Amino acid sequence: MASSMRSLMSDPSRYLRSFRVFLAKSTEHQCMQEFVERQLPGVLASIGHGKPAINVLSVGGGAGEIDLQILSAVQARYPGVTINNEVVEPSAEQILKYKERVAATSNLENVKFTWHKETAYEYESRMNAEKNSKKWDFIHMIQMLYYVKDVPATIQYFHSLLEAQAKLLIIVVSENSGWETLWKKYGSSLPLDDLCTYVSSADIKRMLDSAGLKYQLHELPSDMDITCCFTEGDKDGELLLDFLTETLDFSKTAPPELKHQIMEELKKPGCSEKRNGKVLFNNNLSAIVIEP
Ligand SMILES: C[S@@+](CC[C@H](N)C(=O)[O-])C[C@H]1O[C@@H](n2cnc3c(N)ncnc32)[C@H](O)[C@@H]1O
């Protein structure tokens, strides 16, 4: 890896800007919304029977878009029941946006929100130091496992916090996505470090199988319009390329040969398809629901 390339996560504000372009150009949240509306009610059917309150833990909840949809599905399944929703999120900017979203949303009277500005690992360390073994009825880790140092240990820890009828939901990129093709081929040339690792549903399944955990898997078809990445100097295109390669200022800092190879790879069928003059990157996700 060329030493001039740095991880996108080393600049949190550029990371967030590129994540927002990614959300605008992809069906990422739409496909999750569809999952929440169609599949999640069945998943939630077991978690809250006869309970006076339902405890939900969001790990890496970001700005809360999907969290609020999940809470609405919990409310629909358990009308009037108190919900304690706690969020573990290290970004102050994301927490602020989450709070603004909550303030602007109606029908949340029975939901109590608590935000912890910390990483998953900091949460675990704090709970251990406090000898706190609080259990949860539903825990979700949506598109965040790339940013923890030890993925199997993180899954095992949060799995150990599940109540008897609870569920743990993980969403990551699918092993059938363009991400898998791109990262399997070029991951070793890109600045992956302990701020960001690449994991797909294939890795998570392997970890769950070796830990002997039971789970169901749902595929969520999604795409991302990356046409603007091919217009030299396009600002959104540059931010999307940073997000795709997890590299800060990829266009300016990547060695020309690597940049050329990745730009070609992005157009190939393993990564994307051409439709109506657009280049649509395969952003398929996998939702993995783990039993206690
Ligand atoms: C790609 S965003 C996903 C946000 C949200 N779950 C969604 O799907 O829209 C990843 C989130 O994980 C958070 N994050 C990064 N490192 C983390 C860690 N070690 N523990 C918990 N969250 C982390 C980031 O701040 C960011 O908000």
Side-chain angles (χ1 to χ4, degrees), residues 240-290:
L240 263 193
L241 277 173
D242 283 16
F243 196 77
L244 279 159
T245 59
E246 193 49 43
T247 304
L248 184 62
D249 276 324
F250 176 79
S251 293
K252 300 194 179 81
T253 63
E257 181 54 23
L258 178 67
K259 184 176 168 188
H260 174 75
Q261 285 170 352
I262 287 186
M263 298 306 287
E264 288 305 307
E265 188 70 36
L266 285 173
K267 290 186 211 156
K268 289 185 187 165
C271 279
S272 60
E273 60 169 325
K274 279 222 171 91
R275 217 187 301 150
N276 302 329
K278 290 177 178 169
V279 186
L280 297 177
F281 185 81
N282 179 332
N283 184 53
N284 288 358
L285 304 176
S286 297
I288 303 161
V289 179
I290 306 164

Side-chain angles (χ1 to χ4, degrees), residues 9 15-16 19 22-23 28-29 32 58-67 88-92 94-95 118-122 140-149 154 158 171 195 243:
M9 289 303 273
Y15 168 76
L16 276 185
F19 180 54
F22 162 68
L23 288 182
E28 168 96 355
H29 276 174
M32 288 183 194
S58 159
V59 187
E65 296 97 324
I66 301 303
D67 287 27
V88 174
E89 168 54 62
S91 159
Q94 292 282 61
I95 291 180
E118 59 193 1
T119 63
Y121 184 67
E122 286 163 352
H140 54 87
M141 304 198 280
I142 300 179
Q143 290 286 58
M144 60 71 62
L145 279 172
Y146 321 106
Y147 312 115
V148 304
K149 285 198 175 79
T154 304
F158 286 99
I171 299 184
L195 294 174
F243 196 77

Side-chain angles (χ1 to χ4, degrees), residues 113-179:
F113 289 90
T114 310
W115 288 271
H116 305 284
K117 189 193 161 306
E118 59 193 1
T119 63
Y121 184 67
E122 286 163 352
Y123 176 85
E124 178 178 349
S125 307
R126 184 168 60 81
M127 288 298 121
N128 289 339
E130 292 173 3
K131 301 210 180 336
N132 185 336
S133 53
K134 179 166 181 177
K135 301 272 177 170
W136 301 88
D137 300 305
F138 188 59
I139 302 178
H140 54 87
M141 304 198 280
I142 300 179
Q143 290 286 58
M144 60 71 62
L145 279 172
Y146 321 106
Y147 312 115
V148 304
K149 285 198 175 79
D150 186 337
V151 179
T154 304
I155 296 176
Q156 294 259 23
Y157 171 68
F158 286 99
H159 179 263
S160 77
L161 305 184
L162 292 179
E163 290 279 14
Q165 304 297 319
K167 294 280 193 300
L168 168 62
L169 168 68
I170 290 176
I171 299 184
V172 288
V173 296
S174 164
E175 63 197 281
N176 303 312
S177 67
W179 295 98

